[in-house]
């Protein structure tokens, strides 16, 4: 049994301890916003937050998140109530709104991971340099949304 | 106006309380080969439906796949503008995969572009598709959606519906239709001050005979087209709710991980699954002709168990084949055969004889995988003679037909559930059937949904690749440095006729192709043949310019007298990039221009060489003439996207063959441009007002030569083989500017 919180909701799952968090989220919990891209932590499509920090969930054994707080892209978009639980009220995060304002996604498949990676970066470094963005956001976007990602990050940093 | 060849007949249906106004067309037997193909089968159902509800909300059904190219929004804009709809009240939905929503306009469009719809002919010949359905495609490819379906379908549908609504209002008011105007989903009669919403008129309007030739707007009348509109697919893509094929989910779903024959074309011989079957969650191990799959209650469990399956595949004559062997074979074919004619103009051999200077060069590119971010996947649920199908695809209708054919079902008993596509780039086109076929065969063994997912390793190793090509050139310059002969022999296949033809005015040209067929499966890859041919042409032209002692920009411009749009694109890009200005130390500009899919794209790359001997692309300035822009923001997006996709291939892209199989495994050895390596991109849209050009692909072809032409100036190294990471650019002798 593994016990952890996803977007404020406690989850208890009966899976092997070595099962990566990605597949617990997708196949056991049916939370498909977090994507499978490479399975080796190279592309970042599977990025989630563990206690607020960006982590690639496709190689993260579920045993490593025992008792931890997981946030997925689905959790970013909803306002939390007084107990930290997600409500049904849609309240896009600053990064998500900037992604719409700057029309960032194309196919969009990598963008869950991008949004999570950038949210984590900006939480710890609200005004990153280009080099810091490059070093921190190493996710792959096959459609090439990078120029717009940089523009959106700049807009948030300068807001 | 092209619509004069159509006759519109009424087609209405009530869906969800609203009224659908659509049209069907009969195509007369045509003056071209393709049109006779079309007409042989009589009436075609056409597609684009507009649903108007009593509360004046309008839904526009789009039959093409949204892969990020913004066509759901662009196509809806085209219909909504002609309809004079209130954009704020327009909803966009993916049309279902049924015959009624087939893209007949695609076949017509391709026929007009190529004379015969050669790109589509394989579809016609496929046993899984009826010949009668040449027009019944839902293919999203060939940068075709907006310029064909949009221009010939969506705009016409919107305009026809508008005229029907006006006619209905005019009859109700007893006034001449000519006195009625439309705006923001209302019909108005200014003289009497009356107005009715489309919602109030829709039910009656749907009973009317649609106009034979609805009047399309002049560009000056556009209210929606030409404006940068936010894409409808973006909000769900930022909060995780956008459904992709891989996101199909149900409680009772099973998951399949698969191992395909590593050497293309070989068959499975034997399997020992005893260990795998002991693993938790494993339901079955399925043996297929060319593969073995583990089906479990979780994809990770299936994948882990698959590692324990021992399997043997048959040996084959290709088991020892390497990329070097294939290259040697290509070279041999080029040496031994004069090939078959691609283009002959004047007398190239004689031109070379009389030339004062002959330049020879041999270029080559490797196989490339598409590597869309969403790995290939397909979910099939077969029960009681019917099937549900969930897969991200560039052609839902073809996938439906294929699943039906593999499963032995009637295609009307297969339902495709639409989803967004996590990238396509050609990988998700018909005829790239693996995964679809495998998923169907596996699902036939169960009565619950089974989701088959290719790992990224499967994706890279079991693709249908961009062909590896060798292209040999001879160019003849006269004593004044004018290019008088162009002699080119390259390995096929030719997937896009004309892609190897230079736009430049060259009196004598001989372009011939030899067979480049190998056991490695090939298919269309973003921009198809243009991706490699533009690298070849635009590099060799650059070589010739330098050899002639001429400025590469001026050398091109002088030979583009008959191509004013090429000249303008080159001029706009060069001027915006500051071509000829003083650059930072160690920087150079390279340029390239190419027409593809009826658009002209010129690119100028600013490049320097890093300490590791690899190029750094600082900025790309692009000029795109796509006729006119339906949604300027998505035009920019597609240019940015095409450049980065092409740059990835130039810098890193290589699928190599060792022991008959693909050597690359995953992203580390099939690297991608990422934030750190992504250049600044500046896009200039040229509104030439010519007919609409495609946008999904035309920015990909020029980038490689733009970069390598800059590298030549920086280093004196002429890059004739890709990818660039094979070259160490530190050894260099910069070229003096000309």
């Amino acid at each position: 049994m593994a016990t952890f919180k996803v977007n404020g909701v406690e989850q208890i799952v009966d899976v092997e301890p070595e099962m990566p968090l990605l597949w617990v989220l997708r196949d056991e919990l049916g939370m498909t916003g977090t994507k499978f891209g490479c399975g080796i932590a190279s592309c970042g499509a599977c990025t989630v937050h563990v206690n607020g920090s960006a982590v690639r969930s496709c190689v993260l054994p579920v045993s490593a998140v025992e008792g931890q707080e997981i946030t997925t892209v689905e959790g970013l978009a909803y306002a939390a109530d007084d107990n930290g639980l997600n409500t049904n009220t849609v309240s896009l995060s600053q990064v998500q709104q900037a992604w719409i304002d700057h029309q960032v996604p194309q196919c969009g498949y990598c963008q869950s991971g991008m949004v999570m990676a950038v949210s984590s970066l900006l939480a710890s470094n609200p005004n990153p340099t280009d080099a810091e963005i490059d070093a921190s956001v190493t996710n792959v976007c096959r459609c090439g949304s990078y120029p717009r990602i940089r523009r959106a990050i700049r807009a948030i940093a300068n807001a | 106006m092209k619509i004069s060849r159509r006759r519109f007949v009424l087609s209405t249906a009530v869906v969800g309380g609203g009224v659908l106004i659509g049209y069907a067309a009969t195509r007369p037997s045509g003056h071209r080969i393709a049109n006779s193909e079309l007409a042989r089968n009589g009436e075609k159902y056409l597609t684009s439906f507009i649903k108007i509800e009593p509360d004046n909300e309008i839904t526009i059904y789009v039959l093409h796949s949204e892969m990020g190219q913004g066509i759901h929004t662009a196509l809806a804009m085209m219909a909504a503008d002609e309809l004079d709809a209130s954009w704020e009240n327009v909803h966009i939905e993916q049309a279902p995969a049924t015959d009624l929503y087939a893209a007949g306009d695609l076949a017509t469009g391709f026929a007009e572009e190529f004379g015969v719809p050669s790109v589509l002919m394989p579809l016609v010949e496929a046993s899984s598709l009826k010949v009668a359905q040449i027009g019944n495609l839902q293919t999203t490819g060939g940068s075709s959606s907006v310029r064909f379906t949009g221009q010939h379908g969506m705009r016409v549908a919107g305009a026809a519906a508008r005229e029907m609504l006006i006619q209905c209002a005019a009859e109700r008011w007893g006034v001449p239709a000519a006195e009625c105007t439309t705006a923001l989903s209302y019909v108005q009669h200014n003289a009497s001050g009356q107005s009715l919403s489309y919602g109030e008129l829709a039910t009656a309007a749907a009973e009317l005979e649609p106009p034979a030739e609805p009047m399309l707007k002049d560009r000056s009348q556009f209210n929606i087209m030409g404006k940068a509109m936010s894409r409808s697919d973006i909000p769900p893509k930022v909060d995780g709710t956008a459904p992709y094929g891989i996101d199909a989910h149900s409680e009772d779903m099973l998951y399949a991980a698969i191992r395909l024959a590593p050497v293309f074309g070989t068959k499975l011989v034997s399997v020992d699954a005893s260990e795998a079957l002991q693993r938790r969650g494993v339901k079955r191990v399925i043996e297929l002709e060319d593969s073995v799959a583990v089906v479990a209650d979780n994809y990770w469990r299936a994948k882990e168990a698959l590692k324990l399956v021992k399997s043997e595949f048959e040996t084959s004559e290709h088991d020892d084949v390497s990329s070097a062997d294939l290259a040697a074979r290509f070279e041999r074919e080029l040496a031994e055969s004069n090939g078959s004619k691609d283009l002959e103009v004047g007398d190239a051999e004689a031109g070379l004889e009389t030339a004062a200077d002959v330049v020879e060069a041999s270029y080559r590119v490797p196989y490339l995988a598409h590597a869309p971010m969403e790995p290939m996947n397909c979910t099939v649920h077969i029960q009681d003679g019917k099937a549900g199908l969930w897969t991200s695809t560039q052609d839902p209708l073809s996938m439906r037909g294929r699943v039906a054919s593999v499963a032995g079902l009637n295609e009307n008993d297969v339902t495709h559930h639409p989803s967004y596509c996590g990238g396509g780039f050609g990988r998700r086109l018909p005829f790239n059937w693996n995964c679809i076929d495998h998923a169907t065969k596996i699902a036939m063994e169960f009565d619950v949904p089974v989701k088959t997912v290719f790992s990224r390793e499967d994706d890279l190793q079991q693709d249908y690749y961009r062909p590896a090509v060798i292209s040999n050139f001879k160019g003849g310059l006269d004593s004044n440095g004018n290019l008088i002969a162009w002699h080119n022999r390259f390995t096929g296949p030719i997937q896009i006729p004309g892609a190897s033809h230079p736009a430049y005015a060259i009196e004598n040209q001989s372009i011939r192709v030899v067979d480049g067929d190998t056991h490695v499966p090939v298919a269309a890859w973003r921009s198809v043949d243009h991706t490699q041919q533009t690298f070849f042409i635009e590099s060799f032209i650059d070589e010739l310019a330098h050899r002639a002692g001429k400025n590469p920009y001026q050398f091109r411009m002088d030979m583009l007298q008959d191509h004013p749009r090429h000249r303008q694109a080159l001029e706009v890009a060069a001027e915006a990039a500051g071509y000829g200005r003083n650059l930072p130390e160690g920087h150079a500009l390279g340029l390239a221009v190419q027409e593809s899919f009826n658009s002209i794209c010129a690119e100028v790359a600013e490049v320097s060489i890093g300490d590791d001997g690899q190029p750094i692309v600082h900025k790309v300035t692009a000029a795109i003439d796509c006729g006119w822009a339906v949604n300027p923001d998505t035009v920019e997006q597609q240019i940015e996207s095409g450049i980065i996709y092409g740059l990835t291939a130039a810098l890193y892209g290589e699928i190599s063959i060792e022991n008959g199989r693909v050597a690359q495994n995953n992203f580390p050895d099939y690297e991608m441009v990422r934030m750190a390596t992504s250049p600044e991109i500046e896009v200039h849209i040229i509104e030439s007002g010519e007919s609409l050009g495609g946008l999904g692909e035309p920015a990909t072809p020029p980038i490689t030569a733009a970069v390598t032409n800059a590298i030549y100036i920086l280093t004196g190294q002429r890059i004739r083989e890709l990818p660039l990471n094979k070259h160490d650019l530190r050894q260099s002798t910069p070229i003096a500017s000309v």
Side-chain angles (χ1 to χ4, degrees), chain B residues 436-473:
Chain B
I436 303 293
D437 284 2
H438 295 102
T440 306
K441 288 172 187 167
I442 293 165
M444 287 168 72
E445 303 288 325
F446 299 88
D447 58 5
V448 296
V450 184
K451 184 190 320 190
T452 299
V453 179
F454 273 21
S455 65
R456 179 59 65 190
E457 289 81 1
D458 298 331
D459 176 62
L460 293 183
Q461 295 173 352
Q462 302 291 341
D463 197 354
Y464 302 79
Y465 303 88
R466 185 189 79 171
V469 180
I470 294 181
S471 186
N472 293 337
F473 288 97

Side-chain angles (χ1 to χ4, degrees), chain B residues 389-551:
Chain B
L389 166 65
W390 295 258
T391 191
S392 298
T393 173
Q394 292 176 243
D395 194 335
L397 202 54
S398 290
M399 297 303 149
R400 182 188 72 151
R402 183 66 178 189
V403 168
S405 143
V406 171
L409 299 172
N410 183 317
E411 60 185 48
N412 292 319
D413 289 329
V414 179
T415 303
H416 177 261
H417 300 267
S419 63
Y420 292 118
C421 252
F425 315 117
R427 177 63 177 95
R428 294 190 150 97
L429 284 170
F431 299 92
N432 303 340
W433 294 129
N434 74 9
C435 196
I436 303 293
D437 284 2
H438 295 102
T440 306
K441 288 172 187 167
I442 293 165
M444 287 168 72
E445 303 288 325
F446 299 88
D447 58 5
V448 296
V450 184
K451 184 190 320 190
T452 299
V453 179
F454 273 21
S455 65
R456 179 59 65 190
E457 289 81 1
D458 298 331
D459 176 62
L460 293 183
Q461 295 173 352
Q462 302 291 341
D463 197 354
Y464 302 79
Y465 303 88
R466 185 189 79 171
V469 180
I470 294 181
S471 186
N472 293 337
F473 288 97
K474 291 178 198 166
L477 296 163
D478 69 13
S479 54
N480 296 318
N482 296 313
L483 181 56
I484 57 168
W486 179 271
H487 185 279
N488 181 205
R489 299 289 181 269
F490 65 94
T491 56
I494 291 177
Q495 298 185 83
I496 295 251
S500 59
H501 304 177
Y504 303 105
I506 307 166
E507 201 179 334
N508 304 295
Q509 300 183 43
S510 172
I511 303 173
R512 301 180 76 87
V513 59
V514 304
D515 179 26
D517 198 26
T518 72
H519 77 294
V520 181
V522 297
W525 186 96
R526 194 175 193 170
S527 81
V528 204
D529 293 350
H530 291 289
T531 152
Q532 64 267 16
Q533 294 295 347
T534 303
F535 167 56
F536 302 151
I537 295 168
E538 283 297 278
S539 295
F540 191 57
I541 278 288
D542 215 70
E543 285 201 59
L544 291 162
H546 285 280
R547 182 70 159 255
K550 294 187 177 178
N551 175 292

Side-chain angles (χ1 to χ4, degrees), chain B residues 664-731:
Chain B
Q664 285 69 26
N665 282 300
N666 205 317
F667 287 138
D669 37 310
Y670 196 70
E671 187 51 287
M672 303 279 135
V673 167
R674 305 188 189 221
M675 284 298 289
T677 41
S678 179
E680 180 188 349
I681 296 174
E682 185 179 305
V683 179
H684 296 265
I685 300 171
I686 298 169
E687 294 264 348
S688 66
E690 298 288 336
S691 64
L692 282 171
L695 285 159
E697 297 169 278
T700 299
I703 185 62
T704 304
V707 170
T708 56
N709 290 339
I711 288 172
Y712 178 71
I713 294 168
L714 289 169
T715 68
Q717 288 191 48
R718 177 56 67 182
I719 303 299
R720 300 193 186 92
E721 183 174 358
L722 297 175
L724 280 157
N725 63 9
K726 285 186 158 181
H727 304 268
D728 185 344
L729 302 173
R730 280 171 293 199
Q731 302 294 324

Side-chain angles (χ1 to χ4, degrees), chain B residues 271-293:
Chain B
V271 168
D272 175 358
S274 51
E275 225 180 317
L277 286 165
Q278 303 302 313
R279 295 278 297 206
R280 178 176 169 184
V282 172
K283 304 295 180 190
R284 293 266 302 274
V285 172
I286 310 268
E287 296 178 31
L288 300 175
E289 195 178 38
D290 65 348
S291 54
V292 55

